[in-house]
Amino acid sequence: MKSIPYIFTAFLASISFIVLATVDVKAAVPAAAWVQNIAIAGRPNDIAMDSSGNIYVTDYDNHRVYKYNGTGTLLGQFGSNGSGNGQFNRPEGIAVDGSGNIYVTETGNIYRVQKFNSSFIWQWTITGAANGGEDFSLPQDVVANNSGQVFVMDSWNYQVQVFNSSDGSFIRKFGTRSDSPQGFGWPTGIALDGSGNLVISDISRRKILRY
């Protein structure tokens, strides 16, 4: 499950943000040698961690997902370029739930989200309308909670769509484009904090919202 334990207080002078905690930035930065161990030839776009501390990375250019352990050793990879089940066209956002299931969004020629089990076996694909919601328009990020819900950041529809993690069926959606404090401009990132609250970043409105 993707989480945000901290939001840095030193962010941008013009951004609106919620301070959850302060942090010693130097202590939080990993050693450079460890970072070098997981260099990727393509374009690493998003990361997620499972409950064992393993790291999952979407490779936007090479259309695949990598799995590393906590020391940077490659444990496996899956995906290839294509539109079939288990294939990817520009994988972008990624999340891992408490059971080790993996959720990946795509923002290339296909806008969709796919679910895989912990053995990288494809489980389902959702595109929005076909599952009872609204067709995705640039689903940039995704997160899953421990209550069986998958939250998709449907960026160009300026909303979050929520689906059942078991079968991909639509549950609800929320959000709209507006200049109000709760409105979206271009929402891009979504995560869960330690209490299960949703945290959303908005690159256009330069703010972070917590639900």
Side-chain angles (χ1 to χ4, degrees), residues 87-175:
Q87 295 183 305
F88 298 123
N89 191 280
R90 304 297 187 189
E92 187 156 345
I94 188 168
V96 183
D97 66 21
S99 299
N101 298 300
I102 307 158
Y103 306 85
V104 182
T105 73
E106 296 168 71
T107 56
N109 294 328
I110 303 171
Y111 290 157
R112 64 181 182 177
V113 180
Q114 296 190 73
K115 175 185 177 180
F116 302 83
N117 66 18
S118 58
S119 299
F120 310 152
I121 304 300
W122 175 86
Q123 302 295 295
W124 50 244
T125 297
I126 55 176
T127 58
N131 310 93
E134 182 177 347
D135 277 336
F136 295 136
S137 185
L138 202 72
Q140 288 192 274
D141 206 0
V142 61
V143 71
N145 64 18
N146 291 326
S147 301
Q149 296 175 318
V150 179
F151 301 83
V152 180
M153 188 70 265
D154 191 5
S155 297
W156 284 355
N157 281 329
Y158 313 102
Q159 64 185 4
V160 175
Q161 295 200 57
V162 188
F163 298 86
N164 187 303
S165 63
S166 296
D167 58 9
S169 58
F170 177 74
I171 298 175
R172 66 183 184 279
K173 61 182 180 180
F174 64 91

Side-chain angles (χ1 to χ4, degrees), residues 27-47:
V29 175
W34 186 89
V35 175
Q36 292 170 359
N37 285 338
I38 57 169
I40 295 175
R43 191 198 308 180
N45 200 81
D46 196 17
I47 59 173

Side-chain angles (χ1 to χ4, degrees), residues 19-20 27 56 77 91 104 115-116 143 150 166 183 192 207 211:
V19 179
L20 298 184
Y56 301 76
Q77 58 182 285
V104 182
K115 175 185 177 180
F116 302 83
V143 71
V150 179
S166 296
L192 291 167
K207 64 184 179 182
Y211 295 84

